[in-house]
Amino acid sequence: MSRSWKSFETDRRTVLRGGVAAAVAALGGSALASCSSPGSSGGGSGGGAGATVDLPTFQQYDGVPPDFPAAAEGMNEGFRAYPANPGRVIEEAPGDGEVITFMTNIPGAIPPTRDANSFWQALEERIGSPLEISMSSNDEYKSKFATRIAGGDIPDILNIPKDVAQLPDLLEATCLDLTEYLAGDAVLDYPFLANLPEQSWPDTRFNGKIFAVPVPRGMSRTSAPIYRQDLTEAAGIADADPGSFDDFIALCTEMTAPGANRWAWASMPSQYIQQMWGTPYLWGEEGGAFTHMYETEEMLGAIEDMIAVWAAGVVNPDAYTASGGAKKQWIAAGTAVFVHDSFVAWNQFYTDNPTVTELRINMLDVPGRDGGQGSPWMGAANNNITAFNAETTHDPEVLLAIANWMAAPFGTEEYLFRKFGVAGEHYELAGSDPVPTALGTSEVGIGLQYISDAAMALYLPGRPDIPETQHAVQAKMVDRLVTDASYGLYSETKSRMNAQLEGAVNDALNQVVQGNAGIETFTAAVDTWRTSGGDAIRSELEEAYAAEHG
């Protein structure tokens, strides 16, 4: 008996889905563990072998001119204030009137449910469909994601972490192929998806198909030393940027006063020191050959300097055991002056500490180890990718129209509503800037930014000085940014084993830096990393690179 292509495709997906579910169940969710190595890009999950499909055409939206334009690719645009009287750029509701389900993580407190959430209700009126959102905290999301995939309980819209094991198989088994809608000029039907940064799209392409839309981050996630400029200036330091490692040590010593319960650093500045030395950002590539940062002479030099920094007593002695939240509290309290974090965190220090009126945040540039300029690392291109259930009852064009609505950029009325809610209810205007109310703080964070999002803008309501400073820092760094050479390339071994492999090396590194082991402990761990999977990852990356670049 003959079968249609449709029935064959359904059978194929059923077989694939069973294999993926079995793999996830057998691993108990451990395959979804996040890579937590220093400087982990979160990239490298896209573009399987033979990924020859055209990526979406970039078409910039110029409706809202920035106060601080991006001077080079990768930079974020900056705005002193939100434009007054922003207009709607999407008149027709993108939904189809039917319930749409979505699964996501939530970085803050879980907001009120739909029946008690006026923002959620207003959103549904805007998009023209009820939106059922299954939310989990950041800490719980990956295990719940694994459980639902293994059980075949897949929503219409799915926030997929980029470090999921066997991601191409998962996408093939469970998600819509969006190639015909997004490849090349086809994306122009969705102008705000076409406006997303070009470097975000390789994460969505596998085995010659486009399976997802990206949730872009880019340079907003570039990390360097964030510091309390008010404290350095109070110490008589007019310009904190060091010119070399020796200058850096002197700066740290100057800002450390254990007797006053203050240390220069909330965390060991490992990544910053590596950037001074010019190590690769995870993987480097030359002539198609890949080298991990662990394997370089520069890494050994950087470790010597890390040991010296720890021995100098300029890092909080609890740095290796305290949580990230505790370290941010040290910065707010002045117990620490420097912490390695991103432009996103820069704003968060202000929004989380409104009573610290003297607070002024800045970010150090990266010097060369012995002078000159160092090599800062480009932030992760994306936070996550978003795919659609292959068995959804919604037209793919409806789901893409919703993603396009969620990507309306800064300066539009849609962006203002999406990020801040309803005027007079979820925010009040100070000039043209939205200032969240208590209700807005409670209700608005329902995870819409993980369906899709515009490229991040440098902006903080009521603080025009902050985007100006941030833009100046980005402009100094952008031409020197180093990217992870594995970004956009898929390695099966990396997808399954990277967290465990790099975790073991980083554990050894931490022991060496704290003086609990000799450098041979690190080099032995790197040898084990190679034989246990590092060499296999290298081979797979080189194969994917050759297929991509011919």
Side-chain angles (χ1 to χ4, degrees), residues 446-472:
I446 61 175
L448 303 183
Q449 71 270 32
Y450 303 133
I451 293 178
S452 183
D453 206 356
M456 283 197 166
L458 303 175
Y459 168 71
L460 189 61
R463 295 296 304 266
D465 56 312
I466 291 171
E468 183 172 11
T469 302
Q470 291 172 333
H471 184 269

Side-chain angles (χ1 to χ4, degrees), residues 315-330:
V315 180
N316 189 297
D318 296 325
Y320 282 98
T321 56
S323 67
K327 293 173 184 179
K328 290 184 177 182
Q329 291 173 8
W330 295 346

